[in-house]
Amino acid sequence: KEVFEVFQKEANNGHPIAIFFAGLMYEKGHGVDSNPQKAKEYLTKAAAKGNQEAQQYLTQLDQVGSQ
């Protein structure tokens, strides 16, 4: 939970890597309750800030969701 709080704080400060990791933590339920909606919101923000990992992860989620 402490790790999530650190990423959350940095995500709130606009750091793309922290936004990405906070999104993953929401997706997987690590340190926080799983919340797919919140995960996608964070991953989308990270992707919009140019985080390539977030862009790739969103593409994978979309591919899995459309199957």
Side-chain angles (χ1 to χ4, degrees):
K1 184 169 180 158
E2 291 175 21
V3 173
F4 174 77
E5 290 172 1
V6 170
F7 281 118
Q8 180 71 41
K9 179 181 175 186
E10 293 304 313
N12 289 340
N13 288 329
H15 296 283
I17 294 170
I19 298 168
F20 170 67
F21 280 110
L24 285 182
M25 293 177 89
Y26 273 119
E27 177 70 23
K28 306 293 183 188
H30 294 293
V32 66
D33 290 337
S34 179
N35 186 329
Q37 259 185 328
K38 201 97 157 145
K40 193 157 188 176
E41 176 186 323
Y42 274 75
L43 293 167
T44 301
K45 283 183 189 179
K49 288 184 169 276
N51 184 288
Q52 291 182 346
E53 290 174 289
Q55 293 167 354
Q56 292 169 352
Y57 198 85
L58 284 169
T59 298
Q60 290 174 351
L61 286 178
D62 288 342
Q63 289 173 349
V64 169
S66 64
Q67 291 180 355

